[in-house]
Amino acid sequence: MSKPSTTLISAGRRAEWTQGIVNPAVWRASTTLYENCAALEEGRKHNADGQLFYGRRGTPTHWALAEALTALEPGAAGTMLFPSGLAAVMGALLAVLRPGDHLLMVDSVYDPTRRLCDQLLRSIGVETTYYDPMIGAEIATLIKPNTRAIFLESPGSLTFEVQDIPAIVAVARGHNIITLIDNTWATPLYLPALSLGVDISILACTKYICGHSDVMLGSVTSNAATHSRVRLMAQQLGQTTSPDDAALVLRGLRTLDVRLARHQENGLKVARWLAEQPQVARVIHPALRDCPGHAHWARDFRGASGLFSYVLKGGDKMARAALIDGLTHFGIGYSWGGFESLALPIDPEHFRSATHWQAEGPAVRLHIGLEDADDLIADLAAGLACYPAR
Ligand SMILES: *Cc1c(COP(=O)(O)O)cnc(C)c1O
């Protein structure tokens, strides 16, 4: 089997989809026309992926993207596309949970996923218990007879705890419980989650896979034990994505390896510099030694992307706002994974229930883009020089 960076280039480029050009065209379709009634009947019987049937089932543009994402996750049986990362989280959870089931959800999870559990899943009779991201094998103590699924997000996208995935998977397997991971931070390139025994890997392709901050799209890649359920749920929910968006995400995917390498290099350079600054209490970056779960990162991950946080030494939220507002090279906004740097004030204490967020001062999340790291550092240095730290 070829190496991941080679797979990234060739995956999904079947001749029948690309017709001899490098990328598949943007196939737009709702209706597929059949030669006659017998052919229509035949198409319905097969119910196969990768064949034109009806627009909701996708076109070669979608299949090429889905197949490429599947190829990037060794152990995967298939990938379903969703109109956003959050829709992908939702589709995957609905695929594995039924009324009366119990879900174990990591406490550091992306906040909209938490709201999904607390509101929609709750309203259909699914009970959620939040667990400490650092719980590891101790998760066994939280399992109930009706526990159906364990959801991981590693690292958390605000506070960056790196979970002990193999320990949690081993417990889950022993109890016949399905594991799902939000793998948006690392992507399958830096964390081949299904190889570690996770059943379902979810990506907000909106972030690094697209990489250019101009598309919303999500994906769910599953192993053989779970893929048919995810596929059925995605189809029942009527989830589709635009072929233009699929083509843009596929274009972004081809350069993921080189982009991530630069995000990693720049991110580490900025993180290490920040850690030395007197105004900074700590930097929370999975590749730095004092990050919770750093040893898990070193054991299981192949790299670090460009998203991390730092905690200021004292000062208040107004001082933090002034610090962020004064930056030149950092945009202020949600999302991340594009080519550009972003800064975001974060207050993780509002999104916790099983654990407590304690910090020396206000916190900032940075997405480090593809700019020259020295320019980013100079920008951050100018801001910190005026920061009223303790
Ligand atoms: C952004 C994000 C999502 C949701 O993706 P959207 O495409 O914005 O809906 C899910 N999980 C994580 C960790 C994210 O950062």
Side-chain angles (χ1 to χ4, degrees), residues 178-213:
I178 292 170
T179 46
L180 310 92
I181 189 168
D182 184 329
N183 200 17
T184 302
W185 184 86
T187 84
L189 221 50
Y190 285 175
L191 183 74
L194 268 52
S195 313
L196 292 179
V198 177
D199 294 299
I200 297 176
S201 170
I202 302 162
L203 296 176
C205 298
T206 308
K207 311 287 166 61
Y208 285 121
I209 309 294
C210 165
H212 294 73
S213 305

PDB file of all heavy atoms in Angstrom, residues 178-213:
ATOM      1  N   ILE A 178     -20.221   1.181  20.558  1.00  0.00           N
ATOM      2  CA  ILE A 178     -19.668   1.821  19.359  1.00  0.00           C
ATOM      3  C   ILE A 178     -18.902   3.084  19.758  1.00  0.00           C
ATOM      4  O   ILE A 178     -19.356   3.861  20.609  1.00  0.00           O
ATOM      5  CB  ILE A 178     -20.810   2.172  18.375  1.00  0.00           C
ATOM      6  CG1 ILE A 178     -21.411   0.870  17.830  1.00  0.00           C
ATOM      7  CG2 ILE A 178     -20.329   3.074  17.245  1.00  0.00           C
ATOM      8  CD1 ILE A 178     -22.684   1.068  17.044  1.00  0.00           C
ATOM      9  N   THR A 179     -17.737   3.291  19.147  1.00  0.00           N
ATOM     10  CA  THR A 179     -16.967   4.509  19.415  1.00  0.00           C
ATOM     11  C   THR A 179     -16.977   5.410  18.172  1.00  0.00           C
ATOM     12  O   THR A 179     -16.848   4.946  17.047  1.00  0.00           O
ATOM     13  CB  THR A 179     -15.506   4.184  19.777  1.00  0.00           C
ATOM     14  OG1 THR A 179     -14.988   3.229  18.849  1.00  0.00           O
ATOM     15  CG2 THR A 179     -15.399   3.627  21.177  1.00  0.00           C
ATOM     16  N   LEU A 180     -17.141   6.703  18.435  1.00  0.00           N
ATOM     17  CA  LEU A 180     -17.105   7.712  17.381  1.00  0.00           C
ATOM     18  C   LEU A 180     -16.091   8.772  17.785  1.00  0.00           C
ATOM     19  O   LEU A 180     -15.962   9.085  18.978  1.00  0.00           O
ATOM     20  CB  LEU A 180     -18.460   8.408  17.208  1.00  0.00           C
ATOM     21  CG  LEU A 180     -19.724   7.573  17.066  1.00  0.00           C
ATOM     22  CD1 LEU A 180     -20.373   7.337  18.431  1.00  0.00           C
ATOM     23  CD2 LEU A 180     -20.732   8.285  16.156  1.00  0.00           C
ATOM     24  N   ILE A 181     -15.393   9.325  16.799  1.00  0.00           N
ATOM     25  CA  ILE A 181     -14.463  10.410  17.115  1.00  0.00           C
ATOM     26  C   ILE A 181     -14.674  11.578  16.162  1.00  0.00           C
ATOM     27  O   ILE A 181     -14.874  11.383  14.963  1.00  0.00           O
ATOM     28  CB  ILE A 181     -12.992   9.928  17.070  1.00  0.00           C
ATOM     29  CG1 ILE A 181     -12.050  11.002  17.621  1.00  0.00           C
ATOM     30  CG2 ILE A 181     -12.566   9.526  15.652  1.00  0.00           C
ATOM     31  CD1 ILE A 181     -10.631  10.521  17.887  1.00  0.00           C
ATOM     32  N   ASP A 182     -14.657  12.772  16.717  1.00  0.00           N
ATOM     33  CA  ASP A 182     -14.571  13.982  15.903  1.00  0.00           C
ATOM     34  C   ASP A 182     -13.085  14.209  15.660  1.00  0.00           C
ATOM     35  O   ASP A 182     -12.343  14.575  16.562  1.00  0.00           O
ATOM     36  CB  ASP A 182     -15.213  15.162  16.652  1.00  0.00           C
ATOM     37  CG  ASP A 182     -15.247  16.430  15.799  1.00  0.00           C
ATOM     38  OD1 ASP A 182     -14.342  16.602  14.974  1.00  0.00           O
ATOM     39  OD2 ASP A 182     -16.157  17.244  16.000  1.00  0.00           O
ATOM     40  N   ASN A 183     -12.665  13.924  14.422  1.00  0.00           N
ATOM     41  CA  ASN A 183     -11.232  13.886  14.076  1.00  0.00           C
ATOM     42  C   ASN A 183     -10.820  15.120  13.275  1.00  0.00           C
ATOM     43  O   ASN A 183      -9.858  15.083  12.506  1.00  0.00           O
ATOM     44  CB  ASN A 183     -10.975  12.601  13.264  1.00  0.00           C
ATOM     45  CG  ASN A 183      -9.518  12.187  13.247  1.00  0.00           C
ATOM     46  OD1 ASN A 183      -8.714  12.640  14.063  1.00  0.00           O
ATOM     47  ND2 ASN A 183      -9.169  11.329  12.310  1.00  0.00           N
ATOM     48  N   THR A 184     -11.543  16.214  13.474  1.00  0.00           N
ATOM     49  CA  THR A 184     -11.334  17.405  12.651  1.00  0.00           C
ATOM     50  C   THR A 184      -9.951  18.025  12.856  1.00  0.00           C
ATOM     51  O   THR A 184      -9.338  18.501  11.910  1.00  0.00           O
ATOM     52  CB  THR A 184     -12.440  18.438  12.957  1.00  0.00           C
ATOM     53  OG1 THR A 184     -13.715  17.827  12.695  1.00  0.00           O
ATOM     54  CG2 THR A 184     -12.310  19.681  12.112  1.00  0.00           C
ATOM     55  N   TRP A 185      -9.445  18.018  14.064  1.00  0.00           N
ATOM     56  CA  TRP A 185      -8.162  18.680  14.356  1.00  0.00           C
ATOM     57  C   TRP A 185      -7.001  17.998  13.646  1.00  0.00           C
ATOM     58  O   TRP A 185      -6.146  18.658  13.038  1.00  0.00           O
ATOM     59  CB  TRP A 185      -7.910  18.692  15.870  1.00  0.00           C
ATOM     60  CG  TRP A 185      -6.661  19.423  16.291  1.00  0.00           C
ATOM     61  CD1 TRP A 185      -6.542  20.770  16.531  1.00  0.00           C
ATOM     62  CD2 TRP A 185      -5.350  18.865  16.525  1.00  0.00           C
ATOM     63  NE1 TRP A 185      -5.250  21.074  16.895  1.00  0.00           N
ATOM     64  CE2 TRP A 185      -4.499  19.929  16.897  1.00  0.00           C
ATOM     65  CE3 TRP A 185      -4.829  17.577  16.466  1.00  0.00           C
ATOM     66  CZ2 TRP A 185      -3.149  19.738  17.214  1.00  0.00           C
ATOM     67  CZ3 TRP A 185      -3.490  17.387  16.765  1.00  0.00           C
ATOM     68  CH2 TRP A 185      -2.659  18.461  17.139  1.00  0.00           C
ATOM     69  N   ALA A 186      -6.931  16.686  13.730  1.00  0.00           N
ATOM     70  CA  ALA A 186      -5.768  15.965  13.192  1.00  0.00           C
ATOM     71  C   ALA A 186      -5.968  15.559  11.741  1.00  0.00           C
ATOM     72  O   ALA A 186      -4.989  15.442  10.999  1.00  0.00           O
ATOM     73  CB  ALA A 186      -5.484  14.734  14.035  1.00  0.00           C
ATOM     74  N   THR A 187      -7.202  15.332  11.334  1.00  0.00           N
ATOM     75  CA  THR A 187      -7.553  14.713  10.048  1.00  0.00           C
ATOM     76  C   THR A 187      -6.966  13.290  10.026  1.00  0.00           C
ATOM     77  O   THR A 187      -6.037  12.987  10.804  1.00  0.00           O
ATOM     78  CB  THR A 187      -7.059  15.491   8.797  1.00  0.00           C
ATOM     79  OG1 THR A 187      -5.706  15.134   8.507  1.00  0.00           O
ATOM     80  CG2 THR A 187      -7.205  16.995   8.943  1.00  0.00           C
ATOM     81  N   PRO A 188      -7.452  12.426   9.141  1.00  0.00           N
ATOM     82  CA  PRO A 188      -6.916  11.049   9.098  1.00  0.00           C
ATOM     83  C   PRO A 188      -5.422  11.011   8.783  1.00  0.00           C
ATOM     84  O   PRO A 188      -4.752  10.029   9.080  1.00  0.00           O
ATOM     85  CB  PRO A 188      -7.726  10.371   7.979  1.00  0.00           C
ATOM     86  CG  PRO A 188      -8.724  11.344   7.499  1.00  0.00           C
ATOM     87  CD  PRO A 188      -8.575  12.629   8.219  1.00  0.00           C
ATOM     88  N   LEU A 189      -4.899  12.088   8.229  1.00  0.00           N
ATOM     89  CA  LEU A 189      -3.475  12.117   7.898  1.00  0.00           C
ATOM     90  C   LEU A 189      -2.616  12.073   9.168  1.00  0.00           C
ATOM     91  O   LEU A 189      -1.590  11.400   9.207  1.00  0.00           O
ATOM     92  CB  LEU A 189      -3.174  13.405   7.123  1.00  0.00           C
ATOM     93  CG  LEU A 189      -2.224  13.318   5.952  1.00  0.00           C
ATOM     94  CD1 LEU A 189      -2.578  12.212   4.994  1.00  0.00           C
ATOM     95  CD2 LEU A 189      -2.181  14.662   5.225  1.00  0.00           C
ATOM     96  N   TYR A 190      -3.030  12.779  10.192  1.00  0.00           N
ATOM     97  CA  TYR A 190      -2.257  12.807  11.439  1.00  0.00           C
ATOM     98  C   TYR A 190      -2.832  11.892  12.513  1.00  0.00           C
ATOM     99  O   TYR A 190      -2.172  11.626  13.507  1.00  0.00           O
ATOM    100  CB  TYR A 190      -2.147  14.249  11.957  1.00  0.00           C
ATOM    101  CG  TYR A 190      -1.152  15.103  11.181  1.00  0.00           C
ATOM    102  CD1 TYR A 190      -1.008  16.462  11.455  1.00  0.00           C
ATOM    103  CD2 TYR A 190      -0.342  14.549  10.193  1.00  0.00           C
ATOM    104  CE1 TYR A 190      -0.090  17.249  10.754  1.00  0.00           C
ATOM    105  CE2 TYR A 190       0.567  15.318   9.491  1.00  0.00           C
ATOM    106  CZ  TYR A 190       0.692  16.664   9.770  1.00  0.00           C
ATOM    107  OH  TYR A 190       1.596  17.430   9.086  1.00  0.00           O
ATOM    108  N   LEU A 191      -4.077  11.442  12.341  1.00  0.00           N
ATOM    109  CA  LEU A 191      -4.616  10.446  13.270  1.00  0.00           C
ATOM    110  C   LEU A 191      -5.494   9.463  12.500  1.00  0.00           C
ATOM    111  O   LEU A 191      -6.669   9.727  12.259  1.00  0.00           O
ATOM    112  CB  LEU A 191      -5.446  11.092  14.391  1.00  0.00           C
ATOM    113  CG  LEU A 191      -5.954  10.054  15.406  1.00  0.00           C
ATOM    114  CD1 LEU A 191      -4.840   9.575  16.312  1.00  0.00           C
ATOM    115  CD2 LEU A 191      -7.114  10.582  16.229  1.00  0.00           C
ATOM    116  N   PRO A 192      -4.912   8.329  12.100  1.00  0.00           N
ATOM    117  CA  PRO A 192      -5.738   7.300  11.445  1.00  0.00           C
ATOM    118  C   PRO A 192      -6.575   6.592  12.514  1.00  0.00           C
ATOM    119  O   PRO A 192      -6.185   5.586  13.075  1.00  0.00           O
ATOM    120  CB  PRO A 192      -4.712   6.369  10.797  1.00  0.00           C
ATOM    121  CG  PRO A 192      -3.380   6.735  11.354  1.00  0.00           C
ATOM    122  CD  PRO A 192      -3.520   7.913  12.271  1.00  0.00           C
ATOM    123  N   ALA A 193      -7.743   7.172  12.786  1.00  0.00           N
ATOM    124  CA  ALA A 193      -8.514   6.781  13.968  1.00  0.00           C
ATOM    125  C   ALA A 193      -9.057   5.360  13.878  1.00  0.00           C
ATOM    126  O   ALA A 193      -9.098   4.640  14.876  1.00  0.00           O
ATOM    127  CB  ALA A 193      -9.664   7.769  14.173  1.00  0.00           C
ATOM    128  N   LEU A 194      -9.468   4.944  12.681  1.00  0.00           N
ATOM    129  CA  LEU A 194     -10.038   3.602  12.565  1.00  0.00           C
ATOM    130  C   LEU A 194      -8.963   2.534  12.787  1.00  0.00           C
ATOM    131  O   LEU A 194      -9.249   1.456  13.289  1.00  0.00           O
ATOM    132  CB  LEU A 194     -10.745   3.428  11.208  1.00  0.00           C
ATOM    133  CG  LEU A 194     -12.244   3.769  11.227  1.00  0.00           C
ATOM    134  CD1 LEU A 194     -12.566   5.115  11.801  1.00  0.00           C
ATOM    135  CD2 LEU A 194     -12.877   3.611   9.846  1.00  0.00           C
ATOM    136  N   SER A 195      -7.715   2.851  12.460  1.00  0.00           N
ATOM    137  CA  SER A 195      -6.619   1.910  12.741  1.00  0.00           C
ATOM    138  C   SER A 195      -6.442   1.708  14.236  1.00  0.00           C
ATOM    139  O   SER A 195      -5.930   0.681  14.672  1.00  0.00           O
ATOM    140  CB  SER A 195      -5.282   2.420  12.207  1.00  0.00           C
ATOM    141  OG  SER A 195      -5.400   2.876  10.907  1.00  0.00           O
ATOM    142  N   LEU A 196      -6.836   2.708  15.032  1.00  0.00           N
ATOM    143  CA  LEU A 196      -6.739   2.579  16.491  1.00  0.00           C
ATOM    144  C   LEU A 196      -7.961   1.871  17.062  1.00  0.00           C
ATOM    145  O   LEU A 196      -8.088   1.737  18.278  1.00  0.00           O
ATOM    146  CB  LEU A 196      -6.601   3.957  17.142  1.00  0.00           C
ATOM    147  CG  LEU A 196      -5.295   4.707  16.893  1.00  0.00           C
ATOM    148  CD1 LEU A 196      -5.322   6.065  17.585  1.00  0.00           C
ATOM    149  CD2 LEU A 196      -4.095   3.904  17.396  1.00  0.00           C
ATOM    150  N   GLY A 197      -8.880   1.452  16.198  1.00  0.00           N
ATOM    151  CA  GLY A 197     -10.029   0.687  16.673  1.00  0.00           C
ATOM    152  C   GLY A 197     -11.305   1.482  16.819  1.00  0.00           C
ATOM    153  O   GLY A 197     -12.346   0.925  17.194  1.00  0.00           O
ATOM    154  N   VAL A 198     -11.263   2.785  16.538  1.00  0.00           N
ATOM    155  CA  VAL A 198     -12.484   3.593  16.580  1.00  0.00           C
ATOM    156  C   VAL A 198     -13.371   3.144  15.411  1.00  0.00           C
ATOM    157  O   VAL A 198     -12.878   2.802  14.335  1.00  0.00           O
ATOM    158  CB  VAL A 198     -12.143   5.097  16.459  1.00  0.00           C
ATOM    159  CG1 VAL A 198     -13.401   5.941  16.418  1.00  0.00           C
ATOM    160  CG2 VAL A 198     -11.242   5.529  17.613  1.00  0.00           C
ATOM    161  N   ASP A 199     -14.699   3.129  15.631  1.00  0.00           N
ATOM    162  CA  ASP A 199     -15.608   2.650  14.581  1.00  0.00           C
ATOM    163  C   ASP A 199     -15.918   3.718  13.544  1.00  0.00           C
ATOM    164  O   ASP A 199     -16.043   3.419  12.362  1.00  0.00           O
ATOM    165  CB  ASP A 199     -16.924   2.170  15.216  1.00  0.00           C
ATOM    166  CG  ASP A 199     -16.736   0.952  16.098  1.00  0.00           C
ATOM    167  OD1 ASP A 199     -16.290  -0.083  15.564  1.00  0.00           O
ATOM    168  OD2 ASP A 199     -17.003   1.036  17.322  1.00  0.00           O
ATOM    169  N   ILE A 200     -16.114   4.951  14.014  1.00  0.00           N
ATOM    170  CA  ILE A 200     -16.627   5.999  13.126  1.00  0.00           C
ATOM    171  C   ILE A 200     -15.805   7.269  13.302  1.00  0.00           C
ATOM    172  O   ILE A 200     -15.621   7.749  14.426  1.00  0.00           O
ATOM    173  CB  ILE A 200     -18.110   6.290  13.465  1.00  0.00           C
ATOM    174  CG1 ILE A 200     -18.962   5.034  13.212  1.00  0.00           C
ATOM    175  CG2 ILE A 200     -18.636   7.479  12.657  1.00  0.00           C
ATOM    176  CD1 ILE A 200     -20.426   5.185  13.620  1.00  0.00           C
ATOM    177  N   SER A 201     -15.304   7.808  12.195  1.00  0.00           N
ATOM    178  CA  SER A 201     -14.476   9.024  12.237  1.00  0.00           C
ATOM    179  C   SER A 201     -15.203  10.150  11.502  1.00  0.00           C
ATOM    180  O   SER A 201     -15.553  10.010  10.328  1.00  0.00           O
ATOM    181  CB  SER A 201     -13.124   8.716  11.591  1.00  0.00           C
ATOM    182  OG  SER A 201     -12.393   9.903  11.401  1.00  0.00           O
ATOM    183  N   ILE A 202     -15.403  11.250  12.215  1.00  0.00           N
ATOM    184  CA  ILE A 202     -16.191  12.368  11.686  1.00  0.00           C
ATOM    185  C   ILE A 202     -15.263  13.544  11.419  1.00  0.00           C
ATOM    186  O   ILE A 202     -14.394  13.866  12.245  1.00  0.00           O
ATOM    187  CB  ILE A 202     -17.261  12.775  12.724  1.00  0.00           C
ATOM    188  CG1 ILE A 202     -18.166  11.586  13.045  1.00  0.00           C
ATOM    189  CG2 ILE A 202     -18.074  13.982  12.227  1.00  0.00           C
ATOM    190  CD1 ILE A 202     -18.960  11.730  14.324  1.00  0.00           C
ATOM    191  N   LEU A 203     -15.455  14.190  10.272  1.00  0.00           N
ATOM    192  CA  LEU A 203     -14.646  15.368   9.944  1.00  0.00           C
ATOM    193  C   LEU A 203     -15.535  16.550   9.602  1.00  0.00           C
ATOM    194  O   LEU A 203     -16.502  16.393   8.854  1.00  0.00           O
ATOM    195  CB  LEU A 203     -13.774  15.104   8.714  1.00  0.00           C
ATOM    196  CG  LEU A 203     -12.705  14.034   8.786  1.00  0.00           C
ATOM    197  CD1 LEU A 203     -12.040  13.901   7.420  1.00  0.00           C
ATOM    198  CD2 LEU A 203     -11.680  14.380   9.854  1.00  0.00           C
ATOM    199  N   ALA A 204     -15.200  17.721  10.138  1.00  0.00           N
ATOM    200  CA  ALA A 204     -15.715  18.958   9.561  1.00  0.00           C
ATOM    201  C   ALA A 204     -14.753  19.285   8.426  1.00  0.00           C
ATOM    202  O   ALA A 204     -13.690  19.869   8.650  1.00  0.00           O
ATOM    203  CB  ALA A 204     -15.754  20.058  10.609  1.00  0.00           C
ATOM    204  N   CYS A 205     -15.109  18.881   7.213  1.00  0.00           N
ATOM    205  CA  CYS A 205     -14.241  19.153   6.039  1.00  0.00           C
ATOM    206  C   CYS A 205     -14.153  20.645   5.771  1.00  0.00           C
ATOM    207  O   CYS A 205     -13.243  21.106   5.071  1.00  0.00           O
ATOM    208  CB  CYS A 205     -14.782  18.429   4.808  1.00  0.00           C
ATOM    209  SG  CYS A 205     -14.808  16.648   4.960  1.00  0.00           S
ATOM    210  N   THR A 206     -15.101  21.379   6.357  1.00  0.00           N
ATOM    211  CA  THR A 206     -15.074  22.842   6.371  1.00  0.00           C
ATOM    212  C   THR A 206     -13.701  23.365   6.779  1.00  0.00           C
ATOM    213  O   THR A 206     -13.275  24.425   6.319  1.00  0.00           O
ATOM    214  CB  THR A 206     -16.122  23.332   7.405  1.00  0.00           C
ATOM    215  OG1 THR A 206     -17.374  22.713   7.121  1.00  0.00           O
ATOM    216  CG2 THR A 206     -16.259  24.835   7.406  1.00  0.00           C
ATOM    217  N   LYS A 207     -13.016  22.623   7.648  1.00  0.00           N
ATOM    218  CA  LYS A 207     -11.756  23.085   8.225  1.00  0.00           C
ATOM    219  C   LYS A 207     -10.593  22.703   7.307  1.00  0.00           C
ATOM    220  O   LYS A 207     -10.492  23.213   6.219  1.00  0.00           O
ATOM    221  CB  LYS A 207     -11.599  22.505   9.642  1.00  0.00           C
ATOM    222  CG  LYS A 207     -12.863  22.688  10.514  1.00  0.00           C
ATOM    223  CD  LYS A 207     -13.085  24.102  10.976  1.00  0.00           C
ATOM    224  CE  LYS A 207     -14.468  24.375  11.545  1.00  0.00           C
ATOM    225  NZ  LYS A 207     -14.857  23.617  12.707  1.00  0.00           N
ATOM    226  N   TYR A 208      -9.714  21.771   7.738  1.00  0.00           N
ATOM    227  CA  TYR A 208      -8.487  21.530   6.974  1.00  0.00           C
ATOM    228  C   TYR A 208      -8.701  20.852   5.627  1.00  0.00           C
ATOM    229  O   TYR A 208      -7.900  21.036   4.713  1.00  0.00           O
ATOM    230  CB  TYR A 208      -7.509  20.696   7.793  1.00  0.00           C
ATOM    231  CG  TYR A 208      -6.832  21.486   8.880  1.00  0.00           C
ATOM    232  CD1 TYR A 208      -6.956  21.123  10.212  1.00  0.00           C
ATOM    233  CD2 TYR A 208      -6.067  22.600   8.563  1.00  0.00           C
ATOM    234  CE1 TYR A 208      -6.332  21.848  11.206  1.00  0.00           C
ATOM    235  CE2 TYR A 208      -5.440  23.335   9.548  1.00  0.00           C
ATOM    236  CZ  TYR A 208      -5.570  22.953  10.871  1.00  0.00           C
ATOM    237  OH  TYR A 208      -4.960  23.676  11.847  1.00  0.00           O
ATOM    238  N   ILE A 209      -9.728  20.004   5.497  1.00  0.00           N
ATOM    239  CA  ILE A 209      -9.837  19.243   4.246  1.00  0.00           C
ATOM    240  C   ILE A 209     -10.088  20.218   3.094  1.00  0.00           C
ATOM    241  O   ILE A 209      -9.427  20.164   2.066  1.00  0.00           O
ATOM    242  CB  ILE A 209     -10.945  18.170   4.332  1.00  0.00           C
ATOM    243  CG1 ILE A 209     -10.787  17.306   5.597  1.00  0.00           C
ATOM    244  CG2 ILE A 209     -10.954  17.320   3.063  1.00  0.00           C
ATOM    245  CD1 ILE A 209      -9.563  16.448   5.642  1.00  0.00           C
ATOM    246  N   CYS A 210     -11.040  21.131   3.286  1.00  0.00           N
ATOM    247  CA  CYS A 210     -11.255  22.187   2.293  1.00  0.00           C
ATOM    248  C   CYS A 210     -10.057  23.142   2.313  1.00  0.00           C
ATOM    249  O   CYS A 210      -9.422  23.388   1.293  1.00  0.00           O
ATOM    250  CB  CYS A 210     -12.554  22.930   2.592  1.00  0.00           C
ATOM    251  SG  CYS A 210     -12.683  24.485   1.712  1.00  0.00           S
ATOM    252  N   GLY A 211      -9.778  23.681   3.503  1.00  0.00           N
ATOM    253  CA  GLY A 211      -8.542  24.437   3.689  1.00  0.00           C
ATOM    254  C   GLY A 211      -8.539  25.877   3.203  1.00  0.00           C
ATOM    255  O   GLY A 211      -7.534  26.560   3.322  1.00  0.00           O
ATOM    256  N   HIS A 212      -9.651  26.344   2.642  1.00  0.00           N
ATOM    257  CA  HIS A 212      -9.648  27.694   2.064  1.00  0.00           C
ATOM    258  C   HIS A 212     -10.792  28.569   2.559  1.00  0.00           C
ATOM    259  O   HIS A 212     -11.089  29.608   1.968  1.00  0.00           O
ATOM    260  CB  HIS A 212      -9.639  27.593   0.539  1.00  0.00           C
ATOM    261  CG  HIS A 212      -8.380  26.986  -0.010  1.00  0.00           C
ATOM    262  ND1 HIS A 212      -8.101  25.636   0.095  1.00  0.00           N
ATOM    263  CD2 HIS A 212      -7.312  27.535  -0.630  1.00  0.00           C
ATOM    264  CE1 HIS A 212      -6.919  25.386  -0.455  1.00  0.00           C
ATOM    265  NE2 HIS A 212      -6.418  26.523  -0.895  1.00  0.00           N
ATOM    266  N   SER A 213     -11.446  28.139   3.631  1.00  0.00           N
ATOM    267  CA  SER A 213     -12.456  28.968   4.320  1.00  0.00           C
ATOM    268  C   SER A 213     -13.603  29.409   3.412  1.00  0.00           C
ATOM    269  O   SER A 213     -14.149  30.497   3.601  1.00  0.00           O
ATOM    270  CB  SER A 213     -11.794  30.213   4.938  1.00  0.00           C
ATOM    271  OG  SER A 213     -10.745  29.823   5.791  1.00  0.00           O
TER     272      SER A 213
END
